[in-house]
Amino acid sequence: MISTKATVVSNAHLSCGIYKLVLSIPDMPEISCGQFAMVSCGNADGILLKRPISIHDFDNKTVTLLYEAAGKGTKALSQMQESVDLDIILPLGQGFEIKNYKRIALVGGGLGVFPLFSVIRQHADVEYSAYLGARDSSHLVCADSFIGRCARVRLATDDGSAGEKTYVTSLFKEDLARYGFDAIFACGPKPMLKALKAITKDTDIPVFVSMEERMGCGFGACLTCTCKTSSGNKRVCADGPVFDINEVIL
Ligand SMILES: Cc1cc2nc3c(=O)[nH]c(=O)nc-3n(C[C@H](O)[C@H](O)[C@H](O)COP(=O)(O)OP(=O)(O)OC[C@H]3O[C@@H](n4cnc5c(N)ncnc54)[C@H](O)[C@@H]3O)c2cc1C
């Protein structure tokens, strides 16, 4: 983990208040898929705390973050122009571990789709099946990046404007017995994760989920982001964000 300055290479509005921020980092640390960064959104009142954003993509010079301008901090971030320097701490947390998995199902809902792409980018030699959901086609901002890199990509939207008009977990359920997955990696809203837990409870396939909670420091000191697990409260920032689905109480 390093605390450093990053320079904005680009900060483009994609759709529906979702931005793609590319940052250049001179002293790039080693990153693993599923980790996140704490990003400074400026010095204005009320946004002094850095905000947690998942690492969507990375190479040895840049990291790419996809974020929704949701509140004060991320709205200020969306105003950052090219060439501006900002403070960042990365990489943080325990990400997804590939182990010896050969066939992985990726299940993402809403903003939870964003970190799953880092898995594919880091481990291109695995067979992926991606199940991606959003409320409508304009919120599925990065689905195209999965196409061509996955053996199959199935899309679900609430209004049927892209893919099928259903829940992403329903698409996943249809395929669960079909493709012999070695592991399932997921990120999305809690109702989606709960549905996934119910669907997979009678299988012995390991399921790992990336959790999100409001966060203060990002590295385990402030205990703001605890989540309930079968072995007591755990810190999403330092013990997670990725947990075994059987461990977290959803
Ligand atoms: C590990 C982790 C990874 C994340 N990755 C991404 C990502 O890749 N892209 C992205 O757009 N967002 C991501 N988030 C959520 C993002 O951190 C919040 O949207 C952001 O901190 C909100 O800050 P704000 O100042 O804009 O809004 P605030 O004014 O603080 O809040 C605005 C809204 O966002 C909600 N919110 C605040 N913090 C969180 C949070 N931690 N999780 C969920 N909702 C929150 C609030 O309840 C409120 O509805 C991630 C969160 C965590 C913990």
Side-chain angles (χ1 to χ4, degrees):
M1 168 185 90
I2 59 162
S3 176
T4 189
K5 290 263 182 230
T7 307
V8 176
V9 176
S10 60
N11 191 15
H13 182 237
L14 299 180
S15 175
C16 304
I18 299 169
Y19 289 77
K20 179 178 183 173
L21 174 63
V22 181
L23 295 170
S24 147
I25 300 179
D27 45 351
M28 182 68 81
E30 203 171 308
I31 294 174
S32 284
C33 54
Q35 291 187 296
F36 67 98
M38 291 296 285
V39 183
S40 162
C41 300
N43 297 319
D45 230 18
I47 59 167
L48 281 174
L49 281 179
K50 294 182 177 64
R51 301 305 201 254
I53 313 274
S54 306
I55 294 169
H56 171 70
D57 198 4
F58 58 94
D59 58 28
N60 53 9
K61 289 196 178 80
T62 62
V63 290
T64 301
L65 313 176
L66 295 189
Y67 67 94
E68 181 181 40
K72 256 189 174 177
T74 45
K75 279 184 182 151
L77 187 63
S78 72
Q79 299 308 306
M80 300 254 181
Q81 303 291 319
E82 216 178 290
S83 305
V84 164
D85 284 346
L86 51 80
D87 296 317
I88 188 167
I89 306 177
L90 83 168
L92 291 162
Q94 315 299 323
F96 292 105
E97 268 189 73
I98 298 287
K99 300 185 180 166
N100 55 352
Y101 305 140
K102 298 277 180 278
R103 287 193 190 131
I104 296 178
L106 303 171
V107 184
L111 308 178
V113 171
F114 306 161
L116 297 179
F117 184 64
S118 66
V119 178
I120 298 176
R121 288 292 270 166
Q122 192 175 16
H123 302 277
D125 51 337
V126 172
E127 182 187 291
Y128 296 102
S129 301
Y131 303 88
L132 311 176
R135 79 182 84 140
D136 56 36
S137 60
S138 24
H139 284 82
L140 268 175
V141 293
C142 64
D144 285 351
S145 329
F146 290 74
I147 296 168
R149 294 186 165 99
C150 297
R152 56 200 63 83
V153 178
R154 296 190 67 186
L155 306 178
T157 47
D158 296 348
D159 66 355
S161 53
E164 293 168 64
K165 185 176 174 179
T166 184
Y167 288 128
V168 67
T169 42
S170 306
L171 297 182
F172 167 73
K173 190 177 178 183
E174 286 173 12
D175 285 358
L176 176 58
R178 203 173 289 166
Y179 296 117
F181 302 127
D182 300 318
I184 299 153
F185 294 173
C187 185
K190 276 197 182 143
M192 184 201 98
L193 300 180
K194 270 188 184 173
L196 185 65
K197 193 169 187 170
I199 291 166
T200 54
K201 76 175 183 347
D202 295 325
T203 74
D204 54 7
I205 307 172
V207 185
F208 298 97
V209 294
S210 184
M211 302 292 291
E212 284 191 11
E213 294 291 343
R214 286 192 78 99
M215 220 168 248
C217 69
F219 43 78
C222 73
L223 306 181
T224 306
C225 64
T226 52
C227 70
K228 288 198 171 81
T229 75
S230 51
S231 44
N233 284 349
K234 290 212 171 165
R235 300 158 304 175
V236 168
C237 65
D239 303 314
V242 175
F243 293 91
D244 187 315
I245 203 166
N246 293 317
E247 187 187 3
V248 281
I249 296 166
L250 292 166

